[in-house]
Amino acid sequence: MKKIALLLVVMSLAACSQKPEVACGGDDAKSVIALVLKDSLIKKISSDFASQSSSVNYEVDGASIRATVEKISIAIEDVVTTKSDPNSTKKFCSSTLKLGVPDDVVKNADATRAMLSLTSSQQDALRANVDFDADTVKAPFDYSVQPTDDGKKIYGSTGDSNPALTFATTLVEQSFIKTALEKQKADQTQQQQQQALQAQQREAEIDQAQMAENQAALQKAQSDLKAANDAINVVWNAANKQWRQDMLPEQRLWLAQRDNQCKLKALDTGASGSTSFETNRINCQVEMTTARTEVLKTSVLQSLSQSANSDSGSAGNSTSENPGATQLAANLSTFISNIAQNKGQIDRLDQQILSIQAKLNQDSRADALDDYEKIIRLSSQAKELLLANQKYLSAMGPLTNELSDRGVKPPLSLAEINENMATGTSKIQQWNGFILNMQMALQKSAGASQHAF
């Protein structure tokens, strides 16, 4: 401890004619030293808190420090004058200093030490070579006293340091720190609780967002499955009754396989009944249904193509009775005329279909179903005309050969007939696909009336 500034008090001495003296063990001297010690405690504690570098804000005011120090009792015992100069009134004194620290200060100091994981104040006193018992701090103490020349005042001073005073200072400071540490701990606890609450809220929000995302994925999968089922039902309804009867056993078997395979596949990604399980199961069904739709669509087109070829073949098997060359040429001319007439009607129907399609592409109108039906009806009429032309062309083949055998050049060569036959067959297949697409569009808009399983 640095040397403390001298303190003076007014005092009464013996007769003015005598030389002023003061005794080391006198009450006036002890009072002066007690004031010096308390002032030293107040200044040291205030300075320590003012220069604190800790992140903890102790918020200790001077009034609180002074009030606490005033509660400390100071006793100077076993006083001995160690030095006295005949030519000077200054006395050097040795004693035992006893500081009575309030019980609550000691308890608070020990509580602070416990919070800081330090040893108890009793153990600290042993290391500081201080006698500390029953809240009393005791240690050897040196001081000096000297009266003024007029004998009205006494100067008192202490040494540079004193273990009892240092230990008492520590107790008081640690007592004040207790409140700040408790507040800091309470703030930390509250902050941790808030952080935990915020973490719980974030987790809850994440869970809610995940649940919403999972639910949205499930709803999309359900919507996709409905669209896939509608598409396969459209293809199913586009076929004739005989085709559906033939395909029904196979379709039922496929349906059972789809359900079993998708259930097993979904079990790899989630527990049965969970949202992820249902989503993956339905997405699997969508994928398999889409693939199955393409298979059925190909089968329907093949069935329609075979039916068209069968119609053309039956027309080619019919024979004419081979009249004279003139009659044969007349018959060929009639066929050619009919083919040309049908072709003209086909072109007109095609123009009407294109016109309706253009309207459908421009906007979505309430009478779209009627337009789909019109396109299907007009397309079917055009297809029937093409089939009729195919029959005419098939019948023209034998007649053309017979005319050639009789040396008469036919209106169309066999190569031209075969070329027209091939063109007509290709066109019929195109019309089959076009009519099927229109039927699918119509049924998708109106809702399928039958199911593919």
Side-chain angles (χ1 to χ4, degrees):
M1 178 185 297
K2 292 182 179 180
K3 191 170 183 178
I4 301 174
L6 301 181
L7 187 70
L8 52 90
V9 295
V10 178
M11 58 171 291
S12 305
L13 293 178
C16 296
S17 60
Q18 298 179 355
K19 185 178 180 180
E21 290 187 6
V22 61
C24 286
D27 292 338
D28 291 337
K30 291 179 181 180
S31 297
V32 169
I33 297 302
L35 290 174
V36 170
L37 292 176
K38 287 193 175 184
D39 185 67
S40 175
L41 279 170
I42 292 170
K43 289 181 177 178
K44 180 66 170 71
I45 295 170
S46 299
S47 174
D48 287 345
F49 281 118
S51 61
Q52 61 176 321
S53 59
S54 171
S55 59
V56 181
N57 185 9
Y58 299 122
E59 297 181 351
V60 180
D61 59 80
S64 298
I65 294 174
R66 184 174 295 278
T68 301
V69 171
E70 288 296 333
K71 294 178 183 179
I72 297 175
S73 63
I74 298 177
I76 300 174
E77 300 177 346
D78 304 328
V79 179
V80 175
T81 302
T82 58
K83 183 178 179 182
S84 179
D85 187 351
N87 299 319
S88 173
T89 57
K90 187 174 184 179
K91 302 290 180 66
F92 295 90
C93 316
S94 178
S95 67
T96 298
L97 176 63
K98 294 174 65 176
L99 301 175
V101 182
D103 181 66
D104 61 326
V105 172
V106 177
K107 288 180 179 179
N108 289 340
D110 280 333
T112 297
R113 298 180 70 85
M115 285 188 283
L116 295 176
S117 301
L118 301 175
T119 58
S120 68
S121 56
Q122 290 290 346
Q123 293 172 313
D124 194 35
L126 291 175
R127 284 195 298 271
N129 198 24
V130 172
D131 185 358
F132 182 46
D133 182 36
D135 301 340
T136 299
V137 182
K138 184 166 62 174
F141 176 57
D142 294 331
Y143 61 94
S144 65
V145 290
Q146 182 180 14
T148 58
D149 292 343
D150 60 7
K152 294 181 179 181
K153 300 177 182 177
I154 295 177
Y155 283 99
S157 65
T158 65
D160 289 337
S161 63
N162 180 268
L165 197 66
T166 301
F167 186 74
T169 301
T170 301
L171 289 177
V172 174
E173 289 179 352
Q174 290 176 344
S175 174
F176 281 121
I177 292 174
K178 172 180 175 288
T179 301
L181 290 178
E182 287 177 339
K183 184 177 183 302
Q184 181 191 45
K185 185 177 181 180
D187 291 342
Q188 290 176 343
T189 301
Q190 183 179 8
Q191 184 178 9
Q192 290 172 352
Q193 292 175 344
Q194 290 177 346
Q195 290 175 347
L197 180 60
Q198 291 173 352
Q200 291 177 353
Q201 291 175 344
R202 284 195 299 271
E203 290 178 0
E205 291 173 356
I206 292 173
D207 290 342
Q208 290 177 355
Q210 187 63 52
M211 288 177 59
E213 183 177 349
N214 292 343
Q215 192 62 34
L218 177 59
Q219 292 175 353
K220 182 180 183 303
Q222 291 170 339
S223 176
D224 290 344
L225 180 60
K226 182 180 182 305
N229 285 337
D230 288 345
I232 198 172
N233 288 330
V234 166
V235 174
W236 186 265
N237 290 325
N240 57 45
K241 183 177 181 181
Q242 185 60 47
W243 182 91
R244 288 198 294 267
Q245 289 178 349
D246 294 340
M247 290 294 295
L248 187 58
E250 178 184 330
Q251 188 67 6
R252 286 174 175 169
L253 177 61
W254 168 82
L255 179 63
Q257 291 174 340
R258 182 193 73 169
D259 292 344
N260 289 333
Q261 290 179 15
C262 289
K263 183 176 181 180
L264 291 174
K265 184 176 181 180
L267 284 173
D268 293 336
T269 59
S272 178
S274 65
T275 303
S276 60
F277 169 84
E278 286 298 317
T279 302
N280 290 321
R281 182 182 67 84
I282 294 174
N283 281 333
C284 172
Q285 290 183 347
V286 171
E287 183 178 349
M288 292 188 66
T289 302
T290 301
R292 180 63 177 173
T293 299
E294 293 302 316
V295 172
L296 294 182
K297 185 175 180 180
T298 300
S299 178
V300 171
L301 288 173
Q302 289 175 349
S303 175
L304 292 173
S305 177
Q306 290 171 0
S307 176
N309 291 335
S310 175
D311 291 341
S312 298
S314 61
N317 291 332
S318 63
T319 58
S320 300
E321 295 185 357
N322 294 327
T326 303
Q327 184 60 45
L328 290 176
N331 290 340
L332 285 175
S333 297
T334 300
F335 287 155
I336 293 171
S337 176
N338 289 340
I339 289 172
Q341 183 178 358
N342 289 346
K343 186 177 183 304
Q345 293 183 26
I346 290 171
D347 290 340
R348 287 192 293 273
L349 292 172
D350 197 30
Q351 289 297 322
Q352 294 180 44
I353 291 171
L354 291 175
S355 177
I356 296 173
Q357 283 184 311
K359 293 179 181 178
L360 285 173
N361 292 334
Q362 288 177 357
D363 58 353
S364 177
R365 298 180 293 112
D367 58 347
L369 295 180
D370 293 339
D371 286 341
Y372 284 134
E373 291 177 350
K374 288 178 183 178
I375 292 175
I376 293 172
R377 184 173 66 255
L378 295 174
S379 300
S380 297
Q381 292 175 8
K383 174 186 169 183
E384 291 301 321
L385 292 172
L386 275 171
L387 287 171
N389 283 355
Q390 291 296 90
K391 292 178 182 180
Y392 290 140
L393 290 169
S394 295
M396 287 171 64
L399 297 180
T400 299
N401 285 333
E402 189 171 347
L403 283 174
S404 297
D405 291 342
R406 294 187 181 189
V408 179
K409 183 179 180 181
L412 287 177
S413 67
L414 190 60
E416 291 174 323
I417 292 173
N418 289 334
E419 182 181 354
N420 283 308
M421 279 287 291
T423 301
T425 300
S426 176
K427 188 68 174 177
I428 288 172
Q429 290 176 348
Q430 292 178 8
W431 279 113
N432 283 337
F434 182 68
I435 291 171
L436 176 60
N437 289 336
M438 289 298 101
Q439 287 175 332
M440 290 171 60
L442 174 63
Q443 292 181 31
K444 188 174 182 180
S445 298
S449 60
Q450 300 185 43
H451 298 282
F453 38 82

